[in-house]
Amino acid sequence: MRYRRLGGTGLEVSQICLGMLSYGDPSWRDWVLDEESSRPFVERAAESGVNFFDTADVYSVGASEVVTGRLLRDVFMDRGEYVVATKVGLPMGAARPNNGGLSRSHILSSCDASLRRLDLDHIDLLQIHRLDRQTPIEETMEALNDLVRWGKVRYIGACSMWAWQLAKAQYIAQIHGWTRFVSMQCHYNLLYREQEREMMALLADQNMACVPWGPLARGRLGRADQPDPTRGTDRAQNDAYADRLYEGGSQEVLRRVAELAARDDAPPAQIALAWLLHQPGVTAPVVGVRQLSHFDAVRASVDHSLSEGDLAYLAE
């Protein structure tokens, strides 16, 4: 495994971040694995050198954080050996007043609840899951700053917003002397490259880490060599969200991924992840794995070399 600094911080994270969305409570989504079924994936990740794990309070309505905390304590010898990222902002369960958003009240109470579920004394990276347009950004940034100052959170990150919104948040933090975001978890893969228009340049300017979610386009890039890459797993059979994200898709991109995979005798997922890891500013894609046989391709992508010609061929 290779490691990179998380943006401009001194924190080192593995170039693969294991996404914990698939581990928690099967009653939440039928494709989610329970704790014992999830254990082999965390063990394999640790054996491969992965030290970066990403979850959220809303995943399995809190159960993912519980499973994440237990498994990491069981698998790793010392707390300092792993980095836990979680998120705040989306509603937990039924909609009701103050059950979501980025108000000071919700951020502070949600952080405490996440710490209890994870059974940790601090969160390494707390990310705002989505921007709350109803709450002043000053209120949000000050609350996040207080969590860092109190020692409950080490670093803060953001997820999925426009570049101008991130720039505004960073500016507000700077003029007040508050903690700034060190990472952006954004949607970025070979089938969705909007981030290259403005976001990646802003992250480079701000010395922030790019932690892409959906690096395999909800499995489509991993199934690039199959007749219908849009289907193939239990989750994919009923993934209306992915159908909206990749409406129409790009058959030529998928064809080229499959072509290079065949040439290199590698799974398509390995090619797609290797392309992403070659992009300037990308720190660690968040990869979800539900079959142990798929983890080898994920691990191998870190060392898979693509030439400048290969990168251009996939990107053009």
Side-chain angles (χ1 to χ4, degrees):
M1 182 55 63
R2 299 176 188 269
Y3 301 86
R4 288 178 175 167
R5 301 285 180 176
L6 188 69
T9 78
L11 187 66
E12 290 187 285
V13 296
S14 52
Q15 284 192 266
I16 295 296
C17 176
L18 184 63
M20 304 298 287
L21 171 65
S22 297
Y23 315 133
D25 183 357
S27 68
W28 182 63
R29 300 286 190 275
D30 57 11
W31 42 264
V32 171
L33 304 178
D34 63 20
E35 182 173 342
E36 283 311 304
S37 299
S38 304
R39 183 178 299 275
F41 296 91
V42 175
E43 292 175 341
R44 178 69 66 85
E47 291 167 0
S48 300
V50 171
N51 75 339
F52 194 12
F53 300 85
D54 176 80
T55 184
D57 54 2
V58 295
Y59 296 167
S60 293
V61 197
S64 176
E65 287 185 322
V66 173
V67 167
T68 297
R70 286 176 180 166
L71 292 181
L72 292 179
R73 285 193 305 277
D74 288 350
V75 170
F76 288 91
M77 296 293 293
D78 184 81
R79 172 66 179 93
E81 294 179 349
Y82 58 90
V83 175
V84 177
T86 191
K87 308 180 190 75
V88 60
L90 296 186
M92 291 280 287
R96 61 181 186 275
N98 302 314
N99 184 35
L102 296 174
S103 67
R104 179 178 182 84
S105 174
H106 185 68
I107 288 174
L108 299 189
S109 62
S110 292
C111 178
D112 286 343
S114 289
L115 286 169
R116 287 193 298 270
R117 286 188 292 265
L118 289 162
D119 194 16
L120 297 174
D121 63 1
H122 72 273
I123 294 165
D124 296 295
L125 178 65
L126 180 64
Q127 305 156 106
I128 57 171
H129 212 151
R130 291 294 185 272
L131 194 65
D132 178 3
R133 297 168 186 257
Q134 306 305 314
T135 299
I137 191 62
E138 290 85 354
E139 179 176 346
T140 296
M141 298 307 294
E142 184 176 20
L144 294 170
N145 175 72
D146 285 343
L147 288 174
V148 175
R149 297 291 178 251
W150 297 338
K152 294 184 177 183
V153 171
R154 294 290 190 260
Y155 302 97
I156 59 172
C159 301
S160 297
M161 62 180 68
W162 295 112
W164 71 265
Q165 295 169 326
L166 175 60
K168 180 178 179 179
Q170 295 290 72
Y171 172 72
I172 292 297
Q174 179 176 333
I175 63 174
H176 287 284
W178 295 335
T179 304
R180 288 153 50 92
F181 291 126
V182 303
S183 64
M184 165 58 68
Q185 189 172 140
C186 54
H187 183 204
Y188 187 24
N189 58 56
L190 262 171
L191 293 182
Y192 187 87
R193 294 168 55 200
E194 172 64 28
Q195 311 304 337
E196 295 174 3
R197 194 184 308 275
E198 291 187 338
M199 182 61 77
M200 297 306 292
L202 176 60
L203 298 184
D205 177 77
Q206 296 291 298
N207 200 12
M208 293 176 62
C210 177
V211 183
W213 63 265
L216 294 176
R218 309 280 273 211
R220 281 163 163 73
L221 289 163
R223 297 186 293 271
D225 58 348
Q226 298 180 16
D228 184 6
T230 67
R231 298 292 179 259
T233 65
D234 294 341
R235 181 181 181 183
Q237 297 303 324
N238 299 289
D239 196 349
Y241 184 51
D243 293 338
R244 293 196 303 273
L245 286 176
Y246 309 110
E247 184 177 3
S250 177
Q251 295 304 312
E252 180 60 16
V253 172
L254 295 172
R255 188 193 69 76
R256 293 187 184 199
V257 168
E259 178 187 334
L260 294 192
R263 182 200 69 185
D264 293 352
D265 192 24
Q270 186 170 319
I271 300 297
L273 286 172
W275 178 86
L276 195 55
L277 286 166
H278 277 76
Q279 302 311 301
V282 170
T283 300
V286 180
V287 184
V289 183
R290 293 182 64 253
Q291 296 184 40
L292 279 176
S293 59
H294 293 169
F295 199 88
D296 291 339
V298 173
R299 168 63 185 83
S301 67
V302 174
D303 297 315
H304 193 111
S305 180
L306 293 173
S307 69
E308 290 298 322
D310 293 337
L311 296 173
Y313 184 62
L314 291 169
E316 67 180 354

